[in-house]
Amino acid sequence: MSADERVDIYMPLYVRDFLTATIGWTASERGHYLTLLMLQWDREGLPADIDALGRLSPGVAEVWGVLQDKFPVEPDGQRRNARLEEHRGRAVELRRKRSEAGKAAAAARLGSINRSSNVEQTFNNRSSIDNHPPSPSPSPSGISSREEIIQQAAPVVATSDSPKRRKRSQHHDAVSWDFESGWGGITADDRKTWADGFPAVVLDVELIRASEWLKANPTRAHKSNWRRFLVSWLTRSQDRGGTNRTAGKTPEDAAKRAALERKSKEFAEYRPAPYRTPKEVVALAASMTLKEEDI
């Protein structure tokens, strides 16, 4: 594909997926990762040599240990991110179909214009013949009206069906769910990514909870993107403290909490001393003065 053909193909960015896949990364690692994705999209691939990559994204060698698995070398010697390549293939195919549809529509319009021009020319010629008639034999059909001339000059030509409203392309995802078999299509990579992104969550327990919730709410169990549903479910569980609500708590955290509880109990039981007048305070202070023999 030439550079001119690559210009019009947009690169989608699924923000939640990108952030989930790069949780814990530094700004430099994320920056180089996004730069390499865009370079792959524009160039159809990346060089396998790290020095060549460094010329495209200076400084990438310093974070290459994190990014290496994201861009494996393929048989043609180029590095590619497999998931990005799938999106790019769909974008190229969509652009090709739109281009073919545009060319077909333009050809149909041009054919309609040419047919109209031929009809007008035929009608003008017939009018000239009527005004200056030669002496040919009369037409057996006796054609004299404009409509009949149009019928002869422009016979009906079968055209394609009327264009249908184009539906927006949907994101195809392997993750699925149904009432009988529950969850399907969750890969080992998905489990690893979610375990890294949601450390306070017990994945198997949350999958059961999500499935039972869907069974209890059948009217809301007809979704088109189950991966998005699961990521949202896990995010809410993580934000609320995790599956057990105590995941990630250290002994130091428990000790601090116990100390705070003791302090709050002491404060609740505290009772202030009775009020004393200034004279009573002076007398009390005098009675508490130490004498030399007491020292």
Side-chain angles (χ1 to χ4, degrees):
M1 181 180 296
S2 66
D4 293 338
E5 292 177 323
R6 293 199 298 265
V7 171
D8 295 336
I9 302 178
Y10 66 92
M11 172 181 165
L13 176 62
Y14 299 95
V15 177
R16 182 179 292 274
D17 291 348
F18 180 82
L19 294 177
T20 302
T22 59
I23 286 179
W25 288 20
T26 64
S28 177
E29 291 167 347
R30 278 181 170 168
H32 283 294
Y33 183 37
L34 188 57
T35 299
L36 293 181
L37 289 175
M38 291 189 291
L39 286 170
Q40 176 186 329
W41 187 272
D42 183 65
R43 301 163 64 95
E44 302 183 25
L46 298 172
D49 182 53
I50 186 63
D51 294 333
L53 285 176
R55 289 190 291 272
L56 295 175
S57 183
V60 70
E62 299 175 2
V63 297
W64 186 240
V66 177
L67 304 180
Q68 185 173 6
D69 293 340
K70 300 291 185 179
F71 300 93
V73 179
E74 297 191 347
D76 62 352
Q78 294 276 303
R79 292 186 181 273
R80 292 185 181 88
N81 183 284
R83 186 171 183 183
L84 181 68
E85 198 63 18
E86 293 177 3
H87 289 301
R88 188 178 175 282
R90 286 196 290 268
V92 171
E93 181 64 16
L94 178 61
R95 184 181 185 278
R96 183 188 65 79
K97 290 181 178 180
R98 288 178 176 176
S99 176
E100 292 178 354
K103 291 178 181 179
R109 287 195 298 270
L110 180 60
S112 177
I113 293 172
N114 291 336
R115 287 194 297 273
S116 298
S117 177
N118 292 337
V119 169
E120 292 298 332
Q121 183 65 33
T122 303
F123 182 77
N124 292 336
N125 292 341
R126 180 53 60 91
S127 298
S128 175
I129 293 174
D130 291 340
N131 293 332
H132 306 282
S135 53
S137 59
S139 172
S141 61
I143 295 176
S144 60
S145 66
R146 179 185 179 94
E147 289 75 12
E148 292 176 336
I149 293 175
I150 292 175
Q151 291 177 4
Q152 275 195 348
V156 177
V157 178
T159 60
S160 60
D161 296 336
S162 59
K164 297 180 180 179
R165 184 178 180 181
R166 186 187 300 114
K167 296 182 179 179
R168 295 182 62 185
S169 59
Q170 299 294 329
H171 178 63
H172 298 286
D173 203 319
V175 178
S176 61
W177 182 88
D178 58 54
F179 282 87
E180 300 297 332
S181 56
W183 296 106
I186 299 177
T187 65
D189 290 338
D190 292 333
R191 288 180 171 272
K192 182 179 182 303
T193 300
W194 292 340
D196 295 339
F198 309 103
V201 168
V202 180
L203 181 58
D204 291 333
V205 174
E206 293 298 335
L207 290 177
I208 294 174
R209 289 179 178 177
S211 184
E212 291 302 316
W213 184 89
L214 290 169
K215 292 178 181 178
N217 298 271
T219 58
R220 305 182 66 179
H222 302 284
K223 301 183 181 299
S224 59
N225 193 336
W226 288 109
R227 180 180 296 277
R228 178 178 180 181
F229 171 79
L230 275 181
V231 171
S232 299
W233 183 282
L234 297 175
T235 300
R236 285 193 297 270
S237 179
Q238 175 75 21
D239 293 343
R240 293 172 181 172
T243 301
N244 300 321
R245 299 295 186 267
T246 57
K249 300 294 184 180
T250 63
E252 291 78 7
D253 294 333
K256 290 180 181 178
R257 183 175 183 86
L260 289 175
E261 290 177 352
R262 288 195 302 271
K263 290 289 185 182
S264 62
K265 186 177 181 180
E266 292 174 1
F267 182 79
E269 296 175 351
Y270 170 75
R271 295 294 181 271
Y275 174 75
R276 299 178 186 274
T277 64
K279 290 183 179 181
E280 291 175 339
V281 172
V282 172
L284 180 61
S287 66
M288 297 177 62
T289 302
L290 295 177
K291 299 178 182 180
E292 292 183 2
E293 57 270 18
D294 295 333
I295 299 177

